Amino acid sequence: MTREEQLIAFCQEAVRIPSPSGQEKGVAELCARKMEEYGFDEVQIDRYGSVLGRIHGSRPGRTILMDGHIDNVDVIDAPDWAHDPFGGEIDGGRIYGRGTSDMKGSVTAMISSAAHFAQDTGRDFAGDICVSCTVHEECFEGVSSREITRLAKPDFVIIGEATSTTVKIGQRGRAEVVVETEGKSCHSSNPEKGVNAVYHMMAVIEEIRKIVPNQHPILGRGILELTDIVSSPYPGASVVPALCRATFDRRTLVGEDEAVILGQVEAAIARAAKKVPDLKARVYLAEGREACWTGETISARRYFPAWLMEESYPDVRKVLAGLKEAGIAAPVSHFAFCTNGSHFCGEAGIPTIGYGPSLESLAHVRDEYIEIDQLIKACRGFACILGQLTM
């Protein structure tokens, strides 16, 4: 088979293996096996189940990491798909299936491009090229990537999320903010004997809605949006609720940290307390805990910082030069969603860009697909980027 045929088959094989978060074993083993077949110098699966492959150049230099996640969102509407969600079917120049765009197509292109680059150069390049295939990104953007950073120690990172082969230099961050109000339970036939936590939450939310998120000239506006409210006990059969919990999706900007995020809400609670003297409320960041396919448990607060690179940064210019060399027009913009870049650049401070095949809008949708032309073009682009970064 030609290289292009091998890449297409690799993508199809990856898509045919369902890999919801925590169940990525089959795809992880496939990626590790392909890396070994392609002659990567080192291949390992870390404690969370992510795969890390490394190719050594013949000259000393930096470590360039290409990163993509191998978990996919679940399929809950399979009968409504026109194509088998896990069939990897080709139709009209597209490969269909869950994870084609988000982001097994890109992962297979990164592994393939690293191998092709090493073969074509006879490994006559500076430094190391690493490819990471991370787990649990769909629920924990960047958390499993902390282990990849510890093992790979990258100097520059390419996030392979869908960009339509353009270049992304930043993203807003994400925080899951939880507000709780505490009341006093009683029988609802005598509500005056208790304190209704939901009414107190209503007062707090009224003040939270007065918060005006900041604006950024590149990343746009921050967001603080109520996503759910739950009272306890629930269902409250003739019982005044003693607890109410509300969750907010907070999209953050560079310069906004946990203190800023929580401080704004704490100020809103203080304003509400002036109107409701007996109000008891608190705010905190949600925490998550998930089981990995290796048996390890991954846990973290649901806070994933924003990040932004300067377009004039030397390595960003090298990336653009590499894509120009490949004949790929690559305007610069930013991601609309959260990625593993929250760890690499936002948390660890490692220079990072985004570049990958397919449209952002195809993630998580019914009849997800990737254009074969995009897959092949991205693979070519990755190799040309590596050429510029390892000179």
Side-chain angles (χ1 to χ4, degrees), residues 59-63 125-128 155:
R59 293 177 276 118
R62 303 180 300 166
T63 295
F125 61 86
D128 286 357
D155 297 292

Side-chain angles (χ1 to χ4, degrees), residues 42-264:
E42 300 172 22
V43 180
Q44 65 184 114
I45 295 177
D46 70 21
R47 61 194 181 106
Y48 294 137
S50 300
V51 184
L52 177 63
R54 186 186 295 267
I55 300 174
H56 301 303
S58 61
R59 293 177 276 118
R62 303 180 300 166
T63 295
I64 307 301
L65 173 69
M66 297 191 290
D67 172 78
H69 66 87
I70 52 174
D71 58 327
N72 56 247
V73 294
D74 213 348
V75 175
I76 59 174
D77 57 353
D80 297 322
W81 284 55
H83 298 268
D84 181 351
F86 301 106
E89 300 170 11
I90 294 177
D91 185 13
R94 300 170 173 175
I95 304 172
Y96 282 87
R98 174 58 82 224
T100 45
S101 283
D102 189 26
M103 56 176 296
K104 292 176 180 177
S106 189
V107 168
T108 56
M110 287 189 289
I111 293 171
S112 300
S113 68
H116 298 162
F117 178 73
Q119 292 166 5
D120 293 344
T121 60
R123 304 196 181 214
D124 182 19
F125 61 86
D128 286 357
I129 295 169
C130 290
V131 180
S132 55
C133 312
T134 50
V135 298
H136 273 299
E137 188 274 348
E138 293 292 359
C139 54
F140 270 152
E141 299 100 323
V143 177
S144 69
S145 302
R146 294 170 182 167
E147 187 72 2
I148 294 298
T149 291
R150 187 184 72 81
L151 295 170
K153 297 178 174 58
D155 297 292
F156 189 82
V157 179
I158 302 161
I159 301 292
E161 293 274 11
T163 72
S164 298
T165 64
T166 65
V167 173
K168 306 294 186 181
I169 58 172
Q171 62 163 76
R172 291 180 299 183
R174 182 172 76 87
E176 195 170 311
V177 179
V178 180
V179 177
E180 288 183 345
T181 52
E182 182 183 342
K184 180 181 177 182
S185 186
C186 69
H187 199 287
S188 56
S189 64
N190 298 293
E192 69 281 358
K193 294 184 178 181
V195 177
N196 194 315
V198 174
Y199 292 151
H200 285 195
M201 181 61 76
M202 291 168 64
V204 172
I205 289 174
E206 182 181 356
E207 294 301 323
I208 288 175
R209 293 192 69 188
K210 296 177 183 178
I211 297 172
V212 179
N214 294 323
Q215 295 267 355
H216 188 277
I218 296 175
L219 299 180
R221 67 185 183 93
I223 289 175
L224 178 61
E225 187 67 18
L226 177 66
T227 55
D228 66 57
I229 301 178
V230 180
S231 60
S232 179
Y234 181 86
S238 300
V239 177
V240 169
L243 183 72
C244 186
R245 180 181 294 111
T247 304
F248 294 81
D249 182 358
R250 178 70 158 88
R251 299 291 161 150
T252 66
L253 305 175
V254 289
E256 293 184 322
D257 57 15
E258 296 180 44
V260 171
I261 295 164
L262 298 180
Q264 290 176 332

Side-chain angles (χ1 to χ4, degrees), residues 17-20 22-32 45 49 51 70 135 293-294:
I17 305 172
S19 55
Q23 301 174 47
E24 304 96 340
K25 180 180 180 180
V27 175
E29 291 176 341
L30 169 65
C31 290
I45 295 177
V51 184
I70 52 174
V135 298
W293 69 263
T294 57

